[in-house]
Amino acid sequence: MAEKRKEDEKKKYELVIQALENLAFGELHITIHNGKIVQINRIEKQRFSV
């Protein structure tokens, strides 16, 4: 059971890294409850030159 939890946490960390990749402009919000990641929100902004 503890091994599965470690795998779940590792997957969450990988998702955070994926959310950060290729994010040139935007925000990444990570919600933590009781020391564990429970939600990841990614807001990506597109910038255009005038």
Side-chain angles (χ1 to χ4, degrees), residues 31-45:
T31 304
I32 300 173
H33 183 70
N34 288 334
K36 298 188 181 198
I37 297 171
V38 294
Q39 183 172 330
I40 301 169
N41 293 333
R42 177 180 167 173
I43 301 171
E44 185 172 354
K45 298 180 181 189

Side-chain angles (χ1 to χ4, degrees), residues 2-50:
E3 198 171 304
K4 177 154 176 41
R5 286 187 195 150
K6 286 182 183 180
E7 287 179 23
D8 288 345
E9 288 300 309
K10 184 178 177 184
K11 175 143 180 130
K12 291 176 186 178
Y13 296 138
E14 290 172 0
L15 288 171
V16 170
I17 292 169
Q18 287 175 2
L20 284 170
E21 289 179 356
N22 302 320
L23 183 65
F25 298 98
E27 303 172 21
L28 183 67
H29 293 250
I30 303 167
T31 304
I32 300 173
H33 183 70
N34 288 334
K36 298 188 181 198
I37 297 171
V38 294
Q39 183 172 330
I40 301 169
N41 293 333
R42 177 180 167 173
I43 301 171
E44 185 172 354
K45 298 180 181 189
Q46 298 292 323
R47 300 276 175 120
F48 304 101
S49 57
V50 179

